Amino acid sequence: MAGTIAAASALGMTAVLGGCGITGGSQDVTLKLVAADYGDSPANSSKKYWDKLAEEYEADHPDVSIDVSVYSWNDVDRKVREMVAAGDPPDMAQIGAYADYAAKNQLYKADDLLSIPVQADFVGQLASAGQVKGVQYGMPFAASTRVLFYNKTLFAKAGITPPESWDDLAEDAEALKAEGVTYPYALPLGPEEAQAETMQWMLSGGGGYTDSVDSYGIDSPENIDTFTWLKNDLVGKDLTGPVAPGELNRAAAFAAFAKGEVGMLNGHPSLMKTAAKSGVKYGMVPTPGNEGPSKSTLGVSDWMTAFRANGHRDQVGDFLDFVYSEKNVLAFSREYDLLPVTSSASGTMADSDEDRHLRPFLEELLASELYPVGKTSWADVSAQVKQQIGKAVAPGGSPSGVLGHLQAAAGRAESAE
C-alpha cells in the first residue's frame, strides 16, 4: 500500500477480467476500466464486484460495453503508468494517485463528467483532497480512517483503561511492559507504511505534513515536539517492543496484534477481521492526543480517474454516475469493510445495525485529514518519509534533524514540479 487503504487486505494476486458482462452483438462504445483488487482471496476478488456492476449497467445500456481489468495493488498503478506511457490509457483507472496525470492535463475534471447531485454527494474532505489548485480531478472511490486498537485481555490483566492522552498511553504502556507484553505500543515506522503512522502522530500533536496554507510544514514546532516525545517517552523507555520502530512494518505489527503480543496500536478496519479470526478480544478508541483525544485523525482514500485521450466523456460520466449510486457505494464498502465516499451512503451506514462495527471509523471520517495527494511532489516526499522517519526516534537520533532533512527534501520536490 503504501499510501492506499487497500494494500492491507490485498495479497498480491492478479486477476484480469476482460469484456465482463458482454453478451454478444455489436457495441458502439467500449469503455476500458483498470481497477485495483481489494480482496484477500479469489473468493472475494474485486473481479466479482466489477463483473456484476458491468453486467447490470450493460443491461440498460446496450450501446456501451465495459471492459475491466483488475490487478493487485502491487501492480495496478504501474500498469496504468505503462498504458499511459504507451499512448493507450484506459478510459478510467481506479488507483492510488491522480496528481501527476492531472498536472499533465490528461484527466477529465470531475464536473465535466458527473451529474451535479453525484458530485455534490462526495464527503467534503474527500472531494477537497481530490483537487489540484481548486479543481477536482480525483474522485474518491474508497475511504478509511484510523483508531487506536487495544487488547482487552492484556488491559484487564494489567488493570488499566484505554488511554485518552499521550500521558495515559505512556502509563498504560508501562503497565503492559510490567506484565511482560512484547509490544506495549507497536510503532510501525518501517518503510511499508511509515507515512501513515507518521501523519497519525503528527495530527495527534496538532501538526501535520502541511500548514494552514498547504505548504509543507514537516519540521514545524508541533511535529518536532511530537517526535521528541515519541523518542524520549515511548521508544527511549523501551515501550515499543523488541523491533526498532524504523524496522517494524505495519503488516508485522498487525500480525503481532493478532497473536496477542501487542497492547496498543493504530489500525484501520481490516484489523478487526484479522484480530477476530485469531480470537483476540479488542477494543477501539479515538487516537490519543497530547492533551486528550486527538482533534483529527488520518483519513485515506483511493481514487477514480478518467482519462481524456479516448474522448468518451459522456459515456464515462454516465457510467460513473451509476458507479457512485448509493446502492453500489454501499455494496462495495460492505464487501471490503471500507467507508463510503458519499454522504448518502455514509448516512445509511451510520443508521444501519448491519454496519455497527464500522461506526468508530465512520465517526472519525468527518474529523479526518488526508495526505496532501493533490501535490505532485507527494509521492517523492512520502517515499522519503518511509526511508527516513524511523531515524527520528532511534537511539542517538535527532527528531529536529530528521524532520528538517525531510522538509528540505519536500522543498526540493516542490521546486521540481
Side-chain angles (χ1 to χ4, degrees):
M1 144 166 153
T4 69
I5 54 170
S9 59
L11 290 184
M13 62 184 170
T14 301
V16 179
L17 168 61
C20 52
I22 299 174
T23 56
S26 62
Q27 304 288 344
D28 294 335
V29 173
T30 296
L31 299 179
K32 294 188 294 182
L33 167 66
V34 174
D37 200 335
Y38 292 76
D40 58 8
S41 70
N44 70 345
S45 169
S46 297
K47 171 184 183 296
K48 293 187 175 182
Y49 173 82
W50 286 111
D51 194 3
K52 183 173 183 291
L53 210 63
E55 187 174 352
E56 289 179 6
Y57 184 80
E58 290 171 352
D60 291 331
H61 301 81
D63 57 338
V64 177
S65 66
I66 312 298
D67 180 6
V68 186
S69 300
V70 178
Y71 299 99
S72 80
W73 272 108
N74 291 337
D75 301 318
V76 66
D77 288 292
R78 174 179 56 81
K79 289 284 187 181
V80 173
R81 284 196 302 271
E82 291 172 351
M83 294 172 73
V84 172
D88 185 29
D91 294 282
M92 297 164 282
Q94 184 266 302
I95 48 181
Y98 64 85
D100 283 354
Y101 301 123
K104 296 174 184 175
N105 199 32
Q106 295 172 325
L107 301 179
Y108 283 116
K109 302 173 185 177
D111 55 9
D112 287 339
L113 297 168
L114 303 174
S115 65
I116 292 174
V118 169
Q119 188 175 4
D121 197 25
F122 286 131
V123 172
Q125 289 94 322
L126 304 181
S128 297
Q131 295 178 356
V132 174
K133 297 179 179 178
V135 178
Q136 185 178 0
Y137 294 93
M139 292 162 277
F141 184 74
S144 180
T145 56
R146 302 294 199 271
V147 298
L148 184 80
F149 282 72
Y150 66 96
N151 184 309
K152 286 185 173 182
T153 303
L154 297 179
F155 266 58
K157 186 178 178 183
I160 54 177
T161 57
E164 295 185 359
S165 68
W166 289 357
D167 286 345
D168 295 341
L169 189 148
E171 290 175 8
D172 285 349
E174 289 277 13
L176 291 163
K177 178 185 176 184
E179 291 292 332
V181 175
T182 306
Y183 294 90
Y185 178 84
L187 182 65
L189 295 177
E192 179 190 1
E193 203 192 27
Q195 85 287 353
E197 186 77 8
T198 296
M199 184 167 174
Q200 187 81 353
W201 277 98
M202 286 178 169
L203 292 172
S204 73
Y209 284 119
T210 55
D211 59 23
S212 59
V213 294
D214 200 35
S215 297
Y216 283 111
I218 296 173
D219 62 347
S220 69
E222 293 85 357
N223 292 340
I224 291 172
D225 287 347
T226 294
F227 275 84
T228 299
W229 185 88
L230 279 173
K231 180 178 186 293
N232 294 338
D233 289 64
L234 280 189
V235 181
K237 295 182 178 178
D238 197 26
L239 300 177
T240 53
V243 180
E247 298 174 6
L248 181 65
N249 281 324
R250 192 267 338 277
F254 278 20
F257 187 82
K259 294 177 183 176
E261 298 174 350
V262 174
M264 301 172 280
L265 82 170
N266 289 322
H268 49 65
S270 73
L271 184 56
M272 293 187 296
K273 191 174 293 184
T274 302
K277 283 181 180 177
S278 301
V280 171
K281 295 180 180 179
Y282 63 89
M284 299 180 291
V285 294
T287 302
N290 54 351
E291 295 180 352
S294 178
K295 295 181 175 65
S296 185
T297 189
L298 171 64
V300 183
S301 180
D302 299 326
W303 304 98
M304 179 68 76
T305 59
F307 287 86
R308 302 172 57 204
N310 298 324
H312 297 145
R313 187 186 72 175
D314 292 343
Q315 293 89 347
V316 168
D318 190 71
F319 177 67
L320 289 179
D321 275 357
F322 174 72
V323 168
Y324 284 108
S325 68
E326 181 180 335
K327 175 178 76 78
N328 289 329
V329 171
L330 276 173
F332 184 86
S333 302
R334 285 168 170 164
E335 176 66 28
Y336 299 106
D337 279 336
L338 295 167
L339 303 182
V341 296
T342 61
S343 296
S344 58
S346 294
T348 298
M349 181 174 278
D351 294 336
S352 170
D353 194 53
E354 173 187 351
D355 304 304
R356 62 186 180 276
H357 62 296
L358 288 172
R359 282 179 192 156
F361 300 93
L362 201 60
E363 290 166 359
E364 294 292 311
L365 185 59
L366 295 180
S368 67
E369 293 189 30
L370 282 77
Y371 302 124
V373 289
K375 293 177 173 290
T376 56
S377 59
W378 170 241
D380 287 339
V381 173
S382 176
Q384 288 280 335
V385 170
K386 292 175 189 177
Q387 295 301 320
Q388 301 294 329
I389 197 63
K391 298 175 183 177
V393 298
S398 167
S400 61
V402 172
L403 294 174
H405 174 81
L406 289 170
Q407 176 67 22
R412 290 193 296 272
E414 281 279 88
S415 299
E417 287 186 12

